[in-house]
Amino acid sequence: MPNESVLEGVLVLDAATYIAAPLSASILSEFGAQVIKIEHPRSGDPLRQFGTKGTDPSASMQWLNENRNKRSVTLDLSKPEGRDLFIALAQRADVVVENFRPGTFERWGLDWETLHAANRRLVMLRLSAFGQNGPLREHIGLARIAHAFSGVLSISGEVDRPPANPGPTSLADYVAGVYGALGLMLALFERERSGLGQVVDLALYEPMLKTMDEAFAVFNRTGFVRQRFGSQVATVAPTANYECADGRFVTIGVPDDKMFARLSTAMCAPHLADSNSKFATNALRVEHRDEIEGIVRTWVQSHDRDAVIRLLQERDVPCAPILDIAEVAAHPQVAARENFVTRPDGAGGTVTMQAPVPKLSRTPGRVVTSGPSLGEATSEILQRLLGLSDSQLADLRSKKVI
């Protein structure tokens, strides 16, 4: 392992809750940043109670996973003493992360102007449901609200069924967490030139908006509003999820005519791709979508899943088995890529988590610890960084500030 990580020496104050913004801080922690998780002294981050319980019932599996590598400091930011301590920590920090409803940090006296005056090099991620401006800025939101508002939910699911979740319930949180980390890295990089920090303002729905490929460009040009296609794709065919003879599923993607010719050969029906066929081009296949999808579906249903995959892979047709969680966890590709790590959970058990991505050849990311217990580093951090004495800590505890 390298002696120094890429973000060694970067100090992050993570005052956010739940998933999206804390994930941004976690990503930085995986690549060497020191992250101090600021939590309310009595309740802590609500994510501690969200999801499946771990060995310690006060720390959910999701908490242990999403808050890896962090140290927990309890601080009531709504109290003047808590505000002052946070500003003192911010003077020593490189990054502050928060995701409260716009106006909350201002109400606590922790607005950007105050923090920036205390530390001109500070970078601040403000991740909220709808961003820091606009008519919806104060509205509450979470991942499924972002899915709905971005348009993603409207195109997710089968044609004749209500819109369905686009994969994991918290997908928007994870996508926004990555974009938040990207924003922080861009701001830190720019700071090396200017010497000044800045605000990264991110709305939870905006990264999901970015996933909508050409849908809005097409709408603005033609007025076409994309609808649900189930597992099919609006602009190409045949491309979908298909059930095999053994009841398991595969996904097949045919993005162009060359790939369709390969698929036709694999199905022992090369005539489907002939130049005079009504399926010769993608435009024709989209026009005759139901027919060509039916042909592919019938062929897939006549083979077990492994046979379908083997026949298609032999012809270099893009395909994959639709794996369940257990199959993914046991897959040799996942093992070869070391996509999971197992660490102690702090309560006598262990927790298996997704490994850091991407992989850097010289300074790879690391998972050192799972999510911390509430306030485990409060005394240490406040004494080491701010020089507080034991009596000062005792006084803060008596006032329920920490």
Side-chain angles (χ1 to χ4, degrees), residues 38 48 85 91 103 106 113 161 164 189 231 245 273 314 329 347 402:
I38 305 295
R48 289 180 175 276
L85 287 170
Q91 288 176 323
E106 284 75 7
E113 289 73 21
R161 301 292 298 276
F189 182 80
S231 67
E314 286 175 352
I402 63 174

Side-chain angles (χ1 to χ4, degrees), residues 85 96 254 380 401:
L85 287 170
V96 165
V254 182
E380 174 198 333
V401 175

